[in-house]
Amino acid sequence: QVQLVQSGAEVKKPGVSVKVSCKASGYTFTSSYLHWVRQAPGQGLEWMGMINPSGGSTRYAQKFQGSFTMTRDTSTSTVYMELSSLRSDDTAVYYCAREISGLYYFDYWGQGTLVTVSS
Amino acid sequence: QSALTQPASVSGSPGQSITISCTGTSSDVGGYNYVSWYQQHPGKAPKLMICDVSNRPSGVSSRFSGSKSGNTASLTISGLQAEDEADYYCSSYTSSNTRVFGGGTKLTVL
């Protein structure tokens, strides 16, 4: 069965970076895009970006260009997201979600990773 | 890319029907039949309820249906049940090959 398992919660100080992983299983890793979506406390869902695990190409929301990087490791079927220069308003739950190539919806989601930015 | 517009809250009594709207532009909702809807219970990951405007994934109750007219998509839940109480989000593909979510709607079952 398809599973997306994310790394554990992080507590970071303002100005540093955080890297969160999402390990995929149960399907062919290179057949689907993986996206990152975040949700600040009490707020809605916000799309951050996507990666094509097949070639590694990425596309980011304009808001996150320059501070956000997605990478993948095909040997372990894992995608990573790194957010730099953290601020307190980056405190959120970060989700990875799968989108089958050619289909424009998220059919499987990770369990979420809470990133807390606090001095 | 601005978020799609959803009402902040809707409510209904058990057995009734409710509709949640999701308004975008011709560059997202109006331009493509790639609107999806997600249900999120507190502390849980979102769950896909409707894809491609009106298609229900396997396992999703037939009480959930979707439609679109122009730049506005809608999610209708009929025969409301207590377990339908949750937050609902729409999402759309965009002309920039990005994705965008609505602000979310809190459904209260009275």
Side-chain angles (χ1 to χ4, degrees):
Chain A
Q1 72 283 21
V2 174
Q3 281 193 307
L4 300 175
V5 179
Q6 299 180 221
S7 50
E10 302 265 10
V11 179
K12 295 291 185 180
K13 293 194 183 300
V16 304
S17 299
V18 67
K19 193 169 186 177
V20 178
S21 67
C22 170
K23 183 174 176 60
S25 62
Y27 71 99
T28 302
F29 180 63
T30 52
S31 68
S32 300
Y33 292 91
L34 281 163
H35 297 246
W36 287 96
V37 176
R38 78 176 184 180
Q39 186 171 36
Q43 302 301 308
L45 302 175
E46 182 174 29
W47 184 80
M48 301 179 71
M50 58 190 279
I51 187 167
N52 180 351
S54 178
S57 61
T58 56
R59 190 143 189 96
Y60 304 141
Q62 191 168 5
K63 172 179 178 177
F64 297 104
Q65 296 208 9
S67 63
F68 177 64
T69 304
M70 293 181 68
T71 56
R72 96 290 190 214
D73 182 343
T74 56
S75 68
T76 60
S77 299
T78 302
V79 297
Y80 301 89
M81 76 98 182
E82 185 168 17
L83 195 56
S84 61
S85 303
L86 287 170
R87 308 185 325 180
S88 59
D89 60 1
D90 290 317
T91 294
V93 175
Y94 290 77
Y95 293 101
C96 60
R98 186 184 84 154
E99 180 188 270
I100 297 173
S101 294
L103 302 179
Y104 302 98
Y105 52 84
F106 310 115
D107 60 347
Y108 285 91
W109 295 68
Q111 82 275 20
T113 296
L114 175 62
V115 175
T116 302
V117 183
S118 174
S119 56
Chain B
Q1 181 72 51
S2 300
L4 307 175
T5 301
Q6 297 182 231
S9 63
V10 298
S11 62
S13 300
Q16 289 186 331
S17 295
I18 63 95
T19 296
I20 300 171
S21 61
C22 169
T23 301
T25 70
S26 58
S27 295
D28 38 64
V29 173
Y32 309 91
N33 288 324
Y34 296 140
V35 176
S36 49
W37 289 90
Y38 303 86
Q39 176 191 67
Q40 187 181 35
H41 287 109
K44 300 295 187 182
K47 175 188 175 185
L48 177 66
M49 305 302 286
I50 295 288
C51 58
D52 298 339
V53 174
S54 59
N55 292 333
R56 262 189 329 274
S58 174
V60 172
S61 171
S62 59
R63 298 185 298 104
F64 291 82
S65 62
S67 63
K68 191 185 84 167
S69 177
N71 295 339
T72 298
S74 298
L75 172 71
T76 298
I77 309 174
S78 58
L80 268 180
Q81 299 180 0
E83 63 259 34
D84 299 332
E85 185 162 295
D87 294 326
Y88 291 84
Y89 295 90
C90 60
S91 178
S92 177
Y93 173 86
T94 82
S95 59
S96 303
N97 190 25
T98 60
R99 313 293 183 265
V100 62
F101 283 97
T105 298
K106 181 177 180 60
L107 169 62
T108 301
V109 180
L110 301 170

